[in-house]
């Protein structure tokens, strides 16, 4: 019932997101704990509760306010026209809409917000598919276990966004990566694990959904 859902949503001391946000295989949890120190592997907003969740969510609240979204609308429209033009250029050809359009359009929108250069989009798409499809040998080295494939993907993502964070601290821009790289909560910068998790979840779930 709606009343039950409202109760669950507001009883944040009883219904926690953090301890086990996703049901992972035991060997994957053990690998995450050994390599990263957290059974979930990442600690983005969806794994946080209470004041911690509120403080981290507030970091990007203004960036996604209605007024800010209106300012970003023109960029999104230009991107949409670009992909429509691609379809028109291929008039008469067979088009795989999923592979040619549906993967790339939302990916580009999110990458633009985050500040990822266009030439890195294929890499981020591949890493996203590997992150969410780590149990599928198609998305990684078939000689590795699922836990090892996931660990490798997480390491690749962390390396990419660590370099991006260092760049944005030296060369700030108008993007989410700069906002998070230089963000502070109670006067302190974000913990490296929380910052990287934030960037990774925006870069992956943002377009994969």
């Amino acid at each position: 019932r709606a009343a039950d859902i409202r109760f669950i949503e507001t009883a944040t001391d009883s219904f926690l997101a953090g301890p086990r946000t996703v049901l992972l295989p035991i060997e994957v949890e053990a690998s995450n704990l050994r390599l990263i120190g957290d059974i979930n592997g990442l600690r983005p907003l969806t794994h946080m509760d209470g004041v911690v969740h509120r403080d981290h969510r507030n970091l990007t609240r203004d960036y996604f306010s209605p007024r800010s979204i209106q300012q970003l609308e023109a960029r999104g429209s230009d991107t949409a026209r670009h992909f429509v033009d691609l379809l028109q250029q291929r008039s008469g050809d067979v088009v795989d809409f999923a592979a040619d359009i549906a993967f790339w359009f939302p990916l580009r929108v999110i990458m633009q917000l985050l500040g990822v250069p266009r030439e890195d989009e294929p890499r981020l798409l591949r890493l996203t598919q590997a992150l969410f499809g780590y149990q599928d040998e198609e998305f990684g080295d078939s000689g590795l276990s699922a836990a090892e494939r996931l660990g490798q993907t997480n390491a690749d993502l962390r390396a990419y966004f660590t370099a991006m964070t260092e760049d944005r601290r030296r060369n700030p821009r108008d993007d989410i990566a700069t906002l998070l790289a230089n963000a502070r909560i109670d006067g302190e910068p974000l913990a490296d694990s929380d910052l990287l998790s934030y960037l990774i979840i925006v870069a992956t779930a943002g377009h994969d959904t």
Side-chain angles (χ1 to χ4, degrees):
R1 302 290 182 181
D4 300 322
I5 299 301
R6 280 196 294 270
F7 170 72
I8 289 170
E9 286 292 326
T10 55
T12 54
D13 291 336
S14 300
F15 295 91
L16 301 174
R20 264 196 173 90
T21 307
V22 182
L23 294 178
L24 299 171
I26 294 298
E27 64 271 16
V28 172
E29 289 190 340
S31 176
N32 285 339
L33 193 60
R34 184 178 68 256
L35 296 174
I36 302 171
D38 187 303
I39 63 170
N40 292 309
L42 299 173
R43 189 172 179 260
L45 282 175
T46 49
H47 296 203
M48 295 178 177
D49 294 287
V51 173
V52 174
H53 178 273
R54 182 201 65 197
D55 289 345
H56 284 76
R57 181 181 178 183
N58 283 346
L59 294 176
T60 52
R61 181 185 59 188
D62 291 343
Y63 198 93
F64 291 111
S65 69
R67 178 177 296 178
S68 296
I69 294 298
Q70 286 179 351
Q71 294 173 351
L72 295 168
E73 186 176 6
R75 186 194 300 174
S77 296
D78 288 343
T79 302
R81 279 190 289 271
H82 167 75
F83 283 97
V84 171
D85 289 344
L86 288 180
L87 284 176
Q88 290 179 327
Q89 291 166 14
R90 297 182 58 176
S91 177
D93 295 339
V94 174
V95 174
D96 182 333
F97 192 81
D100 297 336
I101 303 296
F103 285 155
W104 298 102
F105 172 46
L107 175 71
R108 180 156 301 167
V109 171
I110 293 295
M111 295 303 111
Q112 287 174 335
L113 295 177
L114 194 57
V116 170
R118 186 173 296 188
E119 60 268 23
D120 288 350
E121 289 176 2
R123 180 181 180 184
L124 268 296
L125 178 60
R126 177 180 58 79
L127 288 172
T128 297
Q129 292 172 333
L131 181 68
F132 295 139
Y134 68 91
Q135 291 177 294
D136 188 337
E137 293 182 1
E138 179 183 347
F139 297 118
D141 187 340
S142 60
L144 301 178
S145 68
E148 288 170 332
R149 285 196 296 274
L150 181 59
Q152 187 177 69
T153 300
N154 274 324
D156 289 346
L157 283 164
R158 286 170 180 270
Y160 182 87
F161 285 112
T162 295
M164 189 179 207
T165 296
E166 292 171 353
D167 174 73
R168 291 309 192 272
R169 286 173 176 161
R170 293 190 304 266
N171 306 296
R173 306 178 193 177
D174 182 20
D175 54 33
I176 293 174
T178 298
L179 177 64
L180 294 174
N182 297 283
R184 291 181 174 269
I185 295 177
D186 296 329
E188 297 294 328
L190 299 187
D192 287 345
S193 59
D194 289 347
L195 170 58
L196 292 172
S197 293
Y198 213 135
L199 291 167
I200 289 170
I201 206 69
V202 172
T204 57
H207 69 86
D208 188 78
T209 303

